[in-house]
Amino acid sequence: NDYAKYMHEEEDVEDKGIGEESGWKLVHGDVFRKPEYLSLFCAVIGTGYQLVVLVGTVIVIALLGSLYVERGKIVTVSMVMYALTSFLGGYKSGALYKSYFHPKKA
């Protein structure tokens, strides 16, 4: 059992009087470092942001409006909103990319 093994190791450490580094001390160097593929990471985050806004907008328009009157209206609205939300996705990915090179000063 992993729990029993961990507890046994913890008792040994306490008996010797040395503390094991755990928690924040183990990961503090990795938390704020720049991702290896920063451009790809920012592009994926921006695209995800764009798609979330796109789906939310199309759902709201479908609930409020009369998208079911004409054939293909939902597809048309989706394509137009995809084009319009591309600015939001680009802004979001650009802002994230910039934040790694010019962090805010506290």
Side-chain angles (χ1 to χ4, degrees):
N1 190 354
D2 290 334
Y3 182 71
K5 179 182 171 188
Y6 177 75
M7 291 305 293
H8 179 65
E9 289 177 1
E10 188 175 285
E11 290 171 1
D12 290 342
V13 169
E14 289 175 0
D15 291 340
K16 294 178 185 176
I18 53 174
E20 178 183 333
E21 289 188 359
S22 63
W24 177 250
K25 291 179 182 178
L26 292 174
V27 298
H28 79 278
D30 291 333
V31 171
F32 298 112
R33 69 181 167 92
K34 184 169 59 170
E36 188 173 344
Y37 300 105
L38 181 61
S39 298
L40 179 64
F41 176 71
C42 292
V44 168
I45 296 295
T47 304
Y49 185 76
Q50 177 185 358
L51 292 178
V52 165
V53 172
L54 168 70
V55 169
T57 306
V58 170
I59 288 174
V60 168
I61 290 173
L63 291 174
L64 295 177
S66 59
L67 290 182
Y68 304 108
V69 175
E70 296 178 27
R71 181 180 170 136
K73 193 138 186 189
I74 290 180
V75 175
T76 304
V77 168
S78 297
M79 291 185 345
V80 169
M81 290 310 298
Y82 181 80
L84 293 176
T85 58
S86 65
F87 297 108
L88 294 174
Y91 178 79
K92 185 69 172 176
S93 61
L96 182 63
Y97 188 81
K98 181 184 173 191
S99 72
Y100 277 100
F101 291 107
H102 305 289
K104 294 178 184 173
K105 301 208 164 90

